[in-house]
Amino acid sequence: QNVPLHVFPNPATDRLHVAISEMEWITSWSLTDMAGRQVLRSMPGINLSHEVGIDVEDLAPGVYHLQVSSGKGAQSTLIAVHH
């Protein structure tokens, strides 16, 4: 069973916050554009926590697919970036 995924603010302007239950750890995340190109991802080997911040200020305005992995599996959602 997946744990609830909280993404805020959505739409984001400069920083996106991603949180899951404090009982879980985010092990990786990635952002892809609507053409399927990966535009941002977590760094391998970095210990993450139950909440991460993602800088989106350098991304072009638009809609992106966010995928978040934890010990309970992967979850995804759409996020929007506006400047």
Side-chain angles (χ1 to χ4, degrees), residues 27-78:
T27 56
S28 66
W29 58 264
S30 66
L31 271 178
T32 54
D33 64 18
M34 296 313 287
R37 295 179 296 250
Q38 187 176 78
V39 295
L40 287 175
R41 67 179 176 87
S42 57
M43 298 299 294
I46 300 293
N47 287 333
L48 300 176
S49 70
H50 69 275
E51 183 174 338
V52 295
I54 302 171
D55 291 322
V56 296
E57 63 189 346
D58 293 333
L59 295 181
V63 177
Y64 295 86
H65 180 257
L66 171 67
Q67 180 155 343
V68 177
S69 296
S70 72
K72 297 278 187 184
Q75 299 178 69
S76 62
T77 190
L78 294 177

